[in-house]
Amino acid sequence: MNSLARLLWPLPVTLFGAACAGVARLFGARVALRDGVLEACGGPLGPVLRRAYPPMPIAAITLGHVVLAQDEIELDVTRAHERVHVRQYERWGFLFPVVYLAASGVALLQGREAYRGNVFEREAAGGG
């Protein structure tokens, strides 16, 4: 797939992520472009991500070509993991959230945890 297609295929999710980063920036988050990925951390993102998924805090989340992280430390620690998710978005496009949730459902049906048993998380845990 060419580089333009890799950008356009996940674009609806990327735009949502960029909007989230923009709002977070208004409230003190740091936003920067790094290696073609918009990264945002700090400000309101820490409290929001810690509470967004009650079973466990979210250190960082990828939305297309945007990564939102609790703070700079979590952004640094999770960067390789989140870049795998960026590549997964490039493969699956705007459908990735749907297939990700389906993979969590499959993991649950197989008696595994929805997060750690998710095939996409297992791939990202290897860092690539």
Side-chain angles (χ1 to χ4, degrees), residues 93-118:
F94 64 89
L95 298 173
F96 182 63
V98 174
V99 296
Y100 181 97
L101 289 174
S104 288
V106 168
L108 288 171
L109 290 172
Q110 294 174 339
R112 296 190 306 239
E113 287 184 47
Y115 177 76
R116 287 182 183 83
N118 183 307

Side-chain angles (χ1 to χ4, degrees), residues 32-107:
L33 189 62
R34 183 173 175 152
D35 302 322
V37 176
L38 186 66
E39 297 180 336
C41 63
L45 293 172
V48 169
L49 292 174
R50 278 191 289 276
R51 293 178 182 87
Y53 182 61
M56 61 187 241
I58 297 172
I61 188 167
T62 301
L63 300 169
H65 287 93
V66 178
V67 174
L68 308 174
Q70 287 185 23
D71 53 42
E72 288 197 46
I73 293 170
E74 294 292 1
L75 186 58
D76 288 341
V77 167
T78 63
R79 187 168 279 118
H81 178 99
E82 298 305 324
R83 287 306 192 271
V84 175
H85 289 315
V86 170
R87 289 193 299 277
Q88 291 167 341
Y89 267 103
E90 290 175 349
R91 246 188 336 257
W92 291 91
F94 64 89
L95 298 173
F96 182 63
V98 174
V99 296
Y100 181 97
L101 289 174
S104 288
V106 168

Side-chain angles (χ1 to χ4, degrees), residues 21-32:
V23 170
R25 170 102 170 77
L26 293 174
F27 294 96
R30 183 187 67 80
V31 178

